[in-house]
Amino acid sequence: MTALDLSSPVAVVGTGTMGQGIAQVALVAGHPVRLYDAVAGRAQEAAAAIGDRLDRLVAKDRLTAAERDAARARLTPAAGLAELADCALVVEAVLERLDVKQQLFRGLEGIVADDCLLATNTSSLSVTAIGGALTHPGRFVGLHFFNPAPLLPLVEVVSGFATDVTSATRAYETARAWGKTPVACADTPGFIVNRIARPFYAEAFAVYEAQAADPATIDAVLRECGGFRMGAFELTDLIGQDVNESVTHSVWQSFFQDVRFTPSLAQRRLVESGRLGRKSGHGWYDYAEGAERPEPHTAEKEQPPAHVTAEGGLGPAADLLTLIREAGITVREEDEDNGTRLVLPSGGQLVLADGQTSVEFRDVVYFDLALDYRKATRIALSASQDTSPQTLAEATGLFQALGKDVSVIGDVPGMIVARTVARLVDLAHDAVAKGVATEEDVDTAMLLGVNHPLGPFEWSRRLGRGWAYDLLDDLHLRDPSGRYAPSLALYRHAYATDKREGTP
């Protein structure tokens, strides 16, 4: 099944920001486009707004004047649904209410031809439930664009329970012909991105609610250590706290209040107070004119240790040994079957976050996972009230000698980046095992949909088979609510034998 022919008219119902963006994508690709909105006059306003954006593309040399004029000639505001009768594809971008969408598609079904593809851009409702109102739901599919649609490449092509394979394939190929990067997924709450991305926000909020670190510090660690483009607090301020919480709540409810998707009480209070982020002038941060942005906690300068002893290879943090030597600090190595720690001159230990806590041990400082220890500009350390001040000072001085800012946070298991990545990996394995999408499409979706530095399966390959499982298993022992219980899919992955290498 191939993409729609460019001569085939495409209709967009709903002319808000997303509807206009989708219409622009189809228009620039070469289709005749019809715009319809239930509110009189809005389709005409949307057509004018799209025309203005086409002018800006010409000014930026992304479109020629001739291409702009041709596109404008193909764009037609529609006064009623009946004017969409000859369209080969109708995409809706109307109010996120099931009854509204069902009513719209019931009306369209009696107008368009039998082979017209019907699509919803919903981000939170069930594609199956919307299509359930149709007499012929096989031609109904989800086409979830990301905002702004003309700029962001990802499109989730969602098959409802009754969607025909031919319909899903045609939608997929059409999105690709429009210059987008489509990923195929089954109809599951949150689809790919909004399902798997929940821990990025949830774990940051959990660390904050545990009073282990403030928003500015958590954001800085996610950016400067984890390699994420934005921290969870600044990103949700940009998205809108009400919007982000609504998606989280929808996914949680749709999964029958699965504890893994439990919303944040701190975020709920923020929304209740009207602090919705940038759009209201205040969210986690104050955006009023002249307001000072809080700085992340950064430890005072400490002297580096003269030497460290490496017990084992440090696992995912093995690159640190090279960096320590380059900083002129002697590294003594001792073979240990299960050793993954650095022993400091004071006798204290420096250990990569593993889901345990400092308070359980005599003198341990944990350090967080980094995307790239060489490129990271900040490292988080975690210590308990019983940790020796000398051990913490030596650990701080060691990372400062490597050119890193150091943020000391509270004694929370899994710290910040490590627990976030482990949960992303877990939800990704769980989704693939349940037929939501392929590993490749999951990684593509997370890279393009939310700009993560690595897809969860690429994280998993880097960190090793058992890393995420072991960390979450330790976390689950310390928080037996079920939030951190590793999925069966992750368990199978951790204990499976890699037949290509013959090793577990």
Side-chain angles (χ1 to χ4, degrees):
M1 183 61 67
T2 58
L4 293 177
D5 188 271
L6 289 181
S7 64
S8 301
V10 172
V12 177
V13 179
T15 58
T17 301
M18 183 57 80
Q20 290 181 31
I22 296 170
Q24 181 180 327
V25 170
L27 190 66
V28 171
H31 289 273
V33 174
R34 313 271 170 76
L35 281 174
Y36 174 75
D37 197 290
V39 178
R42 284 194 179 170
Q44 289 83 357
E45 293 172 2
I50 292 171
D52 290 342
R53 283 200 289 274
L54 295 178
D55 288 340
R56 291 196 289 273
L57 291 177
V58 172
K60 295 177 181 178
D61 292 326
R62 296 178 184 173
L63 207 64
T64 66
E67 289 170 335
R68 174 199 59 197
D69 294 343
R72 278 180 166 168
R74 294 193 301 272
L75 182 60
T76 307
L81 288 177
E83 295 179 34
L84 313 184
D86 64 337
C87 289
L89 167 64
V90 181
V91 185
E92 69 79 17
V94 301
L95 190 65
E96 282 288 275
R97 274 180 44 186
L98 179 61
D99 60 333
V100 171
K101 293 178 187 292
Q102 287 179 329
Q103 182 179 2
L104 169 65
F105 284 111
R106 276 196 297 263
L108 283 167
E109 197 171 31
I111 295 171
V112 299
D114 291 344
D115 60 350
C116 175
L117 194 62
L118 300 178
T120 175
N121 183 59
T122 186
S123 61
S124 60
L125 299 176
S126 164
V127 171
T128 301
I130 299 171
L134 299 179
T135 304
H136 303 290
R139 60 168 163 175
F140 187 72
V141 66
L143 277 177
H144 181 216
F145 289 78
F146 287 72
N147 196 24
L151 297 180
L152 295 186
L154 185 69
V155 178
E156 293 177 317
V157 181
V158 186
S159 293
F161 188 78
T163 302
D164 292 336
V165 172
T166 53
S167 298
T169 303
R170 172 157 283 186
Y172 184 98
E173 293 300 333
T174 297
R176 184 156 63 178
W178 290 357
K180 296 302 179 182
T181 304
V183 291
C185 65
D187 184 23
T188 184
F191 309 142
I192 299 174
V193 172
N194 282 330
R195 171 180 176 151
I196 295 174
R198 297 343 295 162
F200 179 73
Y201 315 107
E203 295 312 308
F205 298 160
V207 172
Y208 168 75
E209 289 175 338
Q211 299 187 35
D214 60 276
T217 299
I218 296 169
D219 277 353
V221 172
L222 286 168
R223 287 194 314 270
E224 300 170 34
C225 182
F228 293 93
R229 186 168 297 184
M230 298 179 75
F233 296 90
E234 58 191 342
L235 180 55
T236 52
D237 268 357
L238 179 64
I239 295 169
Q241 297 302 330
D242 52 341
V243 174
N244 182 260
E245 195 217 20
S246 177
V247 173
T248 299
H249 195 270
S250 174
V251 172
W252 175 62
Q253 289 283 20
S254 297
F255 275 113
F256 308 105
Q257 300 186 359
D258 186 329
V259 69
R260 295 176 302 166
F261 301 101
T262 301
S264 162
L265 181 59
Q267 188 179 39
R268 174 92 291 262
R269 293 292 179 258
L270 204 66
V271 172
E272 289 174 340
S273 71
R275 294 187 170 186
L276 306 182
R278 289 180 179 270
K279 63 185 178 183
S280 70
H282 204 306
W284 295 110
Y285 301 110
D286 186 353
Y287 297 94
E289 186 176 350
E292 291 188 14
R293 181 70 173 264
E295 294 293 326
H297 166 77
T298 302
E300 296 294 329
K301 187 70 175 176
E302 299 285 355
Q303 288 296 314
H307 62 84
V308 295
T309 300
E311 295 185 352
L314 293 188
D319 288 348
L320 281 177
L321 298 180
T322 300
L323 298 179
I324 293 170
R325 289 189 179 98
E326 289 175 356
I329 299 171
T330 300
V331 177
R332 303 168 181 171
E333 295 193 56
E334 293 184 3
D335 291 332
E336 294 284 341
D337 290 340
N338 296 311
T340 54
R341 64 185 66 85
L342 292 173
V343 180
L344 299 164
S346 64
Q349 298 178 24
L350 189 56
V351 181
L352 175 63
D354 59 6
Q356 301 182 82
T357 58
S358 292
V359 75
E360 301 170 52
F361 303 98
R362 185 181 63 82
D363 203 9
V364 166
V365 172
Y366 280 103
F367 66 94
D368 211 347
L369 178 70
L371 172 68
D372 184 326
Y373 282 100
R374 182 175 292 279
K375 294 180 180 178
T377 57
R378 182 177 299 271
I379 294 291
L381 301 180
S382 175
S384 75
Q385 65 271 22
D386 297 330
T387 303
S388 161
Q390 181 62 26
T391 296
L392 182 57
E394 289 176 348
T396 300
L398 175 64
F399 281 105
Q400 289 172 339
L402 306 186
K404 319 297 183 188
D405 288 328
V406 174
S407 293
V408 179
I409 69 170
D411 189 18
V412 287
M415 301 191 67
I416 298 171
V417 179
R419 70 197 286 172
T420 299
V421 169
R423 290 208 59 218
L424 290 169
V425 168
D426 183 47
L427 290 187
H429 277 280
D430 183 54
V432 169
K434 291 176 178 174
V436 173
T438 65
E439 291 186 9
E440 181 181 4
D441 277 356
V442 167
D443 273 3
T444 297
M446 300 308 289
L447 288 169
L448 298 182
V450 280
N451 291 311
H452 282 194
L454 295 176
F457 288 98
E458 181 60 27
W459 273 115
S460 187
R461 287 187 287 272
R462 279 197 183 194
L463 297 169
R465 278 190 178 275
W467 181 86
Y469 177 84
D470 290 342
L471 187 143
L472 290 175
D473 195 40
D474 279 336
L475 258 169
H476 178 54
L477 288 174
R478 287 150 186 83
D479 178 359
S481 64
R483 178 188 181 105
Y484 300 104
S487 66
L488 179 59
L490 190 63
Y491 175 84
R492 286 173 171 157
H493 174 76
Y495 284 95
T497 297
D498 190 330
K499 295 180 174 56
R500 292 171 298 176
E501 299 178 5
T503 57

PDB file of all heavy atoms in Angstrom, residues 8 22 75 143 174 188 198 228 243 302 331 340 346 373 375 385 399 439 449:
ATOM      1  N   SER A   8      -4.630  13.948  -4.541  1.00  0.00           N
ATOM      2  CA  SER A   8      -5.750  13.638  -3.655  1.00  0.00           C
ATOM      3  C   SER A   8      -5.932  14.749  -2.622  1.00  0.00           C
ATOM      4  O   SER A   8      -4.984  15.099  -1.904  1.00  0.00           O
ATOM      5  CB  SER A   8      -5.499  12.323  -2.920  1.00  0.00           C
ATOM      6  OG  SER A   8      -5.316  11.264  -3.834  1.00  0.00           O
ATOM      7  N   ILE A  22      -0.709  20.815  10.792  1.00  0.00           N
ATOM      8  CA  ILE A  22      -0.909  19.626   9.959  1.00  0.00           C
ATOM      9  C   ILE A  22      -1.303  20.029   8.543  1.00  0.00           C
ATOM     10  O   ILE A  22      -0.818  19.464   7.552  1.00  0.00           O
ATOM     11  CB  ILE A  22      -1.980  18.710  10.589  1.00  0.00           C
ATOM     12  CG1 ILE A  22      -1.507  18.183  11.954  1.00  0.00           C
ATOM     13  CG2 ILE A  22      -2.305  17.542   9.663  1.00  0.00           C
ATOM     14  CD1 ILE A  22      -2.583  17.476  12.750  1.00  0.00           C
ATOM     15  N   LEU A  75      -5.069  25.766  -1.156  1.00  0.00           N
ATOM     16  CA  LEU A  75      -5.653  25.847   0.188  1.00  0.00           C
ATOM     17  C   LEU A  75      -7.050  26.468   0.117  1.00  0.00           C
ATOM     18  O   LEU A  75      -7.213  27.590  -0.362  1.00  0.00           O
ATOM     19  CB  LEU A  75      -4.749  26.681   1.099  1.00  0.00           C
ATOM     20  CG  LEU A  75      -5.184  26.837   2.564  1.00  0.00           C
ATOM     21  CD1 LEU A  75      -5.269  25.478   3.255  1.00  0.00           C
ATOM     22  CD2 LEU A  75      -4.200  27.747   3.299  1.00  0.00           C
ATOM     23  N   LEU A 143      -3.076   9.539  13.735  1.00  0.00           N
ATOM     24  CA  LEU A 143      -1.896  10.227  13.187  1.00  0.00           C
ATOM     25  C   LEU A 143      -1.521  11.303  14.192  1.00  0.00           C
ATOM     26  O   LEU A 143      -2.033  12.425  14.140  1.00  0.00           O
ATOM     27  CB  LEU A 143      -2.204  10.855  11.825  1.00  0.00           C
ATOM     28  CG  LEU A 143      -2.118   9.967  10.586  1.00  0.00           C
ATOM     29  CD1 LEU A 143      -2.521  10.731   9.334  1.00  0.00           C
ATOM     30  CD2 LEU A 143      -0.711   9.401  10.421  1.00  0.00           C
ATOM     31  N   THR A 174       2.049   7.767   3.809  1.00  0.00           N
ATOM     32  CA  THR A 174       1.696   9.157   3.510  1.00  0.00           C
ATOM     33  C   THR A 174       2.483  10.116   4.403  1.00  0.00           C
ATOM     34  O   THR A 174       3.018  11.126   3.936  1.00  0.00           O
ATOM     35  CB  THR A 174       0.179   9.374   3.683  1.00  0.00           C
ATOM     36  OG1 THR A 174      -0.524   8.556   2.739  1.00  0.00           O
ATOM     37  CG2 THR A 174      -0.196  10.831   3.470  1.00  0.00           C
ATOM     38  N   THR A 188      -2.333   2.135  22.699  1.00  0.00           N
ATOM     39  CA  THR A 188      -2.085   1.958  24.126  1.00  0.00           C
ATOM     40  C   THR A 188      -2.067   3.335  24.765  1.00  0.00           C
ATOM     41  O   THR A 188      -1.744   4.315  24.093  1.00  0.00           O
ATOM     42  CB  THR A 188      -0.743   1.238  24.360  1.00  0.00           C
ATOM     43  OG1 THR A 188      -0.543   0.992  25.756  1.00  0.00           O
ATOM     44  CG2 THR A 188       0.414   2.067  23.848  1.00  0.00           C
ATOM     45  N   ARG A 198       7.041   9.119  30.846  1.00  0.00           N
ATOM     46  CA  ARG A 198       6.550   9.543  32.165  1.00  0.00           C
ATOM     47  C   ARG A 198       7.630   9.579  33.241  1.00  0.00           C
ATOM     48  O   ARG A 198       7.663  10.507  34.063  1.00  0.00           O
ATOM     49  CB  ARG A 198       5.400   8.652  32.655  1.00  0.00           C
ATOM     50  CG  ARG A 198       4.099   8.604  31.894  1.00  0.00           C
ATOM     51  CD  ARG A 198       3.806   9.677  30.908  1.00  0.00           C
ATOM     52  NE  ARG A 198       3.647  11.021  31.465  1.00  0.00           N
ATOM     53  CZ  ARG A 198       3.718  12.119  30.755  1.00  0.00           C
ATOM     54  NH1 ARG A 198       3.953  12.067  29.471  1.00  0.00           N
ATOM     55  NH2 ARG A 198       3.578  13.296  31.322  1.00  0.00           N
ATOM     56  N   PHE A 228      20.404  15.324  28.970  1.00  0.00           N
ATOM     57  CA  PHE A 228      19.087  15.713  28.479  1.00  0.00           C
ATOM     58  C   PHE A 228      19.107  17.194  28.110  1.00  0.00           C
ATOM     59  O   PHE A 228      19.781  17.997  28.755  1.00  0.00           O
ATOM     60  CB  PHE A 228      18.020  15.435  29.531  1.00  0.00           C
ATOM     61  CG  PHE A 228      17.814  13.967  29.800  1.00  0.00           C
ATOM     62  CD1 PHE A 228      18.497  13.320  30.828  1.00  0.00           C
ATOM     63  CD2 PHE A 228      16.948  13.223  29.012  1.00  0.00           C
ATOM     64  CE1 PHE A 228      18.326  11.969  31.079  1.00  0.00           C
ATOM     65  CE2 PHE A 228      16.769  11.872  29.249  1.00  0.00           C
ATOM     66  CZ  PHE A 228      17.458  11.234  30.271  1.00  0.00           C
ATOM     67  N   VAL A 243      -1.005  21.024  31.307  1.00  0.00           N
ATOM     68  CA  VAL A 243      -0.969  20.118  30.164  1.00  0.00           C
ATOM     69  C   VAL A 243      -0.198  18.852  30.511  1.00  0.00           C
ATOM     70  O   VAL A 243      -0.653  17.729  30.258  1.00  0.00           O
ATOM     71  CB  VAL A 243      -0.333  20.814  28.941  1.00  0.00           C
ATOM     72  CG1 VAL A 243      -0.148  19.835  27.785  1.00  0.00           C
ATOM     73  CG2 VAL A 243      -1.186  21.995  28.512  1.00  0.00           C
ATOM     74  N   GLU A 302      37.160  21.522  47.107  1.00  0.00           N
ATOM     75  CA  GLU A 302      37.819  20.600  48.026  1.00  0.00           C
ATOM     76  C   GLU A 302      39.116  20.084  47.392  1.00  0.00           C
ATOM     77  O   GLU A 302      39.256  20.089  46.165  1.00  0.00           O
ATOM     78  CB  GLU A 302      36.908  19.402  48.352  1.00  0.00           C
ATOM     79  CG  GLU A 302      35.597  19.756  49.021  1.00  0.00           C
ATOM     80  CD  GLU A 302      35.750  20.138  50.494  1.00  0.00           C
ATOM     81  OE1 GLU A 302      36.888  20.033  51.016  1.00  0.00           O
ATOM     82  OE2 GLU A 302      34.745  20.529  51.109  1.00  0.00           O
ATOM     83  N   VAL A 331      45.877   5.731  40.304  1.00  0.00           N
ATOM     84  CA  VAL A 331      44.813   4.729  40.402  1.00  0.00           C
ATOM     85  C   VAL A 331      45.462   3.379  40.673  1.00  0.00           C
ATOM     86  O   VAL A 331      46.237   2.869  39.858  1.00  0.00           O
ATOM     87  CB  VAL A 331      43.967   4.652  39.120  1.00  0.00           C
ATOM     88  CG1 VAL A 331      42.914   3.547  39.236  1.00  0.00           C
ATOM     89  CG2 VAL A 331      43.303   5.991  38.827  1.00  0.00           C
ATOM     90  N   THR A 340      32.786  -2.826  42.063  1.00  0.00           N
ATOM     91  CA  THR A 340      32.467  -1.704  41.163  1.00  0.00           C
ATOM     92  C   THR A 340      32.552  -0.420  41.963  1.00  0.00           C
ATOM     93  O   THR A 340      31.621   0.367  41.988  1.00  0.00           O
ATOM     94  CB  THR A 340      31.058  -1.855  40.552  1.00  0.00           C
ATOM     95  OG1 THR A 340      30.107  -2.030  41.604  1.00  0.00           O
ATOM     96  CG2 THR A 340      30.983  -3.017  39.599  1.00  0.00           C
ATOM     97  N   SER A 346      40.738   7.910  52.740  1.00  0.00           N
ATOM     98  CA  SER A 346      40.167   7.831  54.084  1.00  0.00           C
ATOM     99  C   SER A 346      39.607   6.458  54.411  1.00  0.00           C
ATOM    100  O   SER A 346      39.265   6.177  55.561  1.00  0.00           O
ATOM    101  CB  SER A 346      39.046   8.861  54.224  1.00  0.00           C
ATOM    102  OG  SER A 346      37.985   8.551  53.321  1.00  0.00           O
ATOM    103  N   TYR A 373      30.959  10.512  30.838  1.00  0.00           N
ATOM    104  CA  TYR A 373      31.686  11.065  31.983  1.00  0.00           C
ATOM    105  C   TYR A 373      32.754  12.069  31.552  1.00  0.00           C
ATOM    106  O   TYR A 373      33.094  12.966  32.321  1.00  0.00           O
ATOM    107  CB  TYR A 373      32.303   9.940  32.818  1.00  0.00           C
ATOM    108  CG  TYR A 373      31.283   9.260  33.699  1.00  0.00           C
ATOM    109  CD1 TYR A 373      30.711   8.053  33.324  1.00  0.00           C
ATOM    110  CD2 TYR A 373      30.867   9.843  34.886  1.00  0.00           C
ATOM    111  CE1 TYR A 373      29.759   7.435  34.108  1.00  0.00           C
ATOM    112  CE2 TYR A 373      29.918   9.238  35.695  1.00  0.00           C
ATOM    113  CZ  TYR A 373      29.360   8.041  35.299  1.00  0.00           C
ATOM    114  OH  TYR A 373      28.409   7.433  36.090  1.00  0.00           O
ATOM    115  N   LYS A 375      32.441  14.232  28.936  1.00  0.00           N
ATOM    116  CA  LYS A 375      31.784  15.468  28.530  1.00  0.00           C
ATOM    117  C   LYS A 375      30.914  16.079  29.624  1.00  0.00           C
ATOM    118  O   LYS A 375      30.588  17.265  29.559  1.00  0.00           O
ATOM    119  CB  LYS A 375      30.927  15.209  27.283  1.00  0.00           C
ATOM    120  CG  LYS A 375      31.741  14.842  26.049  1.00  0.00           C
ATOM    121  CD  LYS A 375      30.838  14.609  24.852  1.00  0.00           C
ATOM    122  CE  LYS A 375      31.641  14.238  23.620  1.00  0.00           C
ATOM    123  NZ  LYS A 375      30.745  13.953  22.457  1.00  0.00           N
ATOM    124  N   GLN A 385      23.642  11.185  56.606  1.00  0.00           N
ATOM    125  CA  GLN A 385      24.131  11.949  57.760  1.00  0.00           C
ATOM    126  C   GLN A 385      25.267  11.224  58.474  1.00  0.00           C
ATOM    127  O   GLN A 385      26.027  11.830  59.236  1.00  0.00           O
ATOM    128  CB  GLN A 385      22.986  12.226  58.751  1.00  0.00           C
ATOM    129  CG  GLN A 385      22.407  10.985  59.411  1.00  0.00           C
ATOM    130  CD  GLN A 385      21.269  10.365  58.616  1.00  0.00           C
ATOM    131  OE1 GLN A 385      21.163  10.595  57.411  1.00  0.00           O
ATOM    132  NE2 GLN A 385      20.426   9.600  59.290  1.00  0.00           N
ATOM    133  N   PHE A 399      36.050  14.610  41.822  1.00  0.00           N
ATOM    134  CA  PHE A 399      35.315  15.011  40.620  1.00  0.00           C
ATOM    135  C   PHE A 399      35.642  16.444  40.208  1.00  0.00           C
ATOM    136  O   PHE A 399      35.653  16.768  39.018  1.00  0.00           O
ATOM    137  CB  PHE A 399      33.818  14.822  40.819  1.00  0.00           C
ATOM    138  CG  PHE A 399      33.378  13.389  40.664  1.00  0.00           C
ATOM    139  CD1 PHE A 399      33.048  12.617  41.766  1.00  0.00           C
ATOM    140  CD2 PHE A 399      33.317  12.817  39.403  1.00  0.00           C
ATOM    141  CE1 PHE A 399      32.657  11.296  41.616  1.00  0.00           C
ATOM    142  CE2 PHE A 399      32.928  11.486  39.240  1.00  0.00           C
ATOM    143  CZ  PHE A 399      32.596  10.725  40.350  1.00  0.00           C
ATOM    144  N   GLU A 439      11.573  -2.145  18.957  1.00  0.00           N
ATOM    145  CA  GLU A 439      12.664  -1.464  19.664  1.00  0.00           C
ATOM    146  C   GLU A 439      13.152  -0.261  18.859  1.00  0.00           C
ATOM    147  O   GLU A 439      13.394   0.812  19.417  1.00  0.00           O
ATOM    148  CB  GLU A 439      13.826  -2.433  19.910  1.00  0.00           C
ATOM    149  CG  GLU A 439      13.520  -3.525  20.921  1.00  0.00           C
ATOM    150  CD  GLU A 439      14.740  -4.373  21.244  1.00  0.00           C
ATOM    151  OE1 GLU A 439      15.861  -4.001  20.801  1.00  0.00           O
ATOM    152  OE2 GLU A 439      14.584  -5.391  21.940  1.00  0.00           O
ATOM    153  N   GLY A 449      10.718  12.613  19.486  1.00  0.00           N
ATOM    154  CA  GLY A 449       9.521  13.138  20.129  1.00  0.00           C
ATOM    155  C   GLY A 449       9.804  13.992  21.345  1.00  0.00           C
ATOM    156  O   GLY A 449       9.111  14.984  21.593  1.00  0.00           O
TER     157      GLY A 449
END
